[in-house]
């Protein structure tokens, strides 16, 4: 059963990777602030609880999610303006 817990925690920990990747690639994030802040605080509060229980698969999950939420929030708060290049500009 513990292997199942580790596997599930790893999957949940990295489910935010695609959103973080596309935030970096697009230079912005289109999710609402309400969603992102509720997700962030939910992860923080649950991580505090899980740390007290020393449930290491879940500690991995919530720590990784906080890292990826940080990336997503960075592009929400300060979007990167992508350069608009025309094909004939560098000729």
């Amino acid at each position: 059963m513990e292997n199942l817990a580790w596997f599930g925690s790893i999957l949940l920990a990295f489910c935010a990777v695609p959103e973080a990747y596309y935030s970096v690639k697009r230079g912005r994030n289109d999710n609402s602030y309400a969603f992102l802040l509720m997700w962030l605080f939910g992860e923080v509060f649950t991580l505090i609880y899980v740390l007290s229980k020393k449930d290491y698969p879940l500690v991995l999950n919530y720590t990784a999610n906080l890292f990826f939420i940080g990336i997503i929030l960075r592009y929400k708060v300060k979007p990167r303006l992508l350069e608009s290049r025309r094909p004939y500009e560098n000729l």
Side-chain angles (χ1 to χ4, degrees):
M1 284 306 270
E2 190 167 328
N3 289 339
L4 192 62
W6 274 103
F7 182 69
S9 288
I10 289 169
L11 287 176
L12 287 172
F14 294 103
C15 68
V17 170
E19 188 65 31
Y21 171 77
Y22 285 114
S23 293
V24 172
K25 185 176 176 183
R26 291 182 304 223
R28 68 183 195 291
N29 184 279
D30 297 326
N31 289 314
S32 71
Y33 279 109
F35 167 74
L36 292 173
L37 290 175
M38 286 192 303
W39 186 14
L40 173 71
F41 286 114
E43 296 285 340
V44 168
F45 296 147
T46 308
L47 177 62
I48 292 168
Y49 172 75
V50 168
L51 282 171
S52 73
K53 297 295 183 183
K54 298 181 182 176
D55 190 353
Y56 297 112
L58 291 178
V59 169
L60 168 72
N61 175 5
Y62 294 111
T63 304
N65 267 318
L66 285 173
F67 174 75
F68 294 119
I69 293 169
I71 293 171
I72 294 166
L73 275 171
R74 183 260 183 242
Y75 287 101
K76 179 68 174 177
V77 172
K78 188 173 180 183
R80 182 183 68 227
L81 299 176
L82 299 177
E83 299 175 22
S84 61
R85 294 185 182 185
R86 297 180 190 145
Y88 55 84
E89 214 171 39
N90 294 327
L91 294 178

